[in-house]
Amino acid sequence: QVQLVESGGGLVQAGGSLRLSCAISGRTYSATVMGWFRQAPGKEREFVAAIKPSAGSTYYADSVKGRFTISGGNAKNGMYLQMNSLKPEDTAVYYCAADLVSLSDTYIYRADKYDYWGQGTQVTVSS
């Protein structure tokens, strides 16, 4: 029903910037919650940022707050993650995710609560 495709990953020097995009297609609902997660080798998939487009609410992991900005996410519109001041520890595969129903603040950080996922895009930050 919903297809997500990430793009914009790549190799960047520490301190640099990247902008990730998540293209959205298929049927969805206005209450959709969208987020970004990342997974580094040998680590669990972790929450990065999320947005509730209808309310304009945004959420960030402590590790990226002040450096990353999430935007977009309206039904059939793109979602974006502007990443500034990148650090080597930001290196991971980044995934966009969506849920068709607004998640509670408790669940929005949990990857297992999102029903739809993109294929991931690699972000590598060199030191």
Side-chain angles (χ1 to χ4, degrees):
Q1 292 183 333
V2 177
Q3 294 83 43
L4 307 175
V5 180
E6 303 95 334
S7 62
L11 175 65
V12 65
Q13 297 287 327
S17 298
L18 285 173
R19 191 187 193 216
L20 304 184
S21 299
C22 179
I24 307 164
S25 63
R27 295 178 181 178
T28 187
Y29 298 92
S30 62
T32 295
V33 177
M34 300 196 69
W36 290 94
F37 292 77
R38 66 187 182 187
Q39 188 166 21
K43 297 188 68 178
E44 297 277 342
R45 187 168 299 187
E46 67 175 354
F47 171 80
V48 177
I51 187 167
K52 295 182 177 180
S54 61
S57 302
T58 58
Y59 309 81
Y60 296 94
D62 288 342
S63 60
V64 307
K65 195 169 186 177
R67 300 188 297 121
F68 292 8
T69 303
I70 189 170
S71 62
N74 291 313
K76 296 190 176 182
N77 291 331
M79 182 180 64
Y80 307 94
L81 185 68
Q82 179 66 46
M83 305 186 295
N84 298 327
S85 301
L86 283 162
K87 304 175 181 179
E89 49 263 46
D90 294 318
T91 296
V93 177
Y94 283 70
Y95 299 88
C96 63
D99 193 78
L100 299 182
V101 178
S102 181
L103 297 175
S104 71
D105 287 355
T106 299
Y107 289 161
I108 200 166
Y109 305 97
R110 290 178 53 177
D112 63 306
K113 295 298 183 179
Y114 290 77
D115 292 331
Y116 301 96
W117 293 85
Q119 83 292 341
T121 186
Q122 177 71 48
V123 171
T124 302
V125 184
S126 62
S127 60

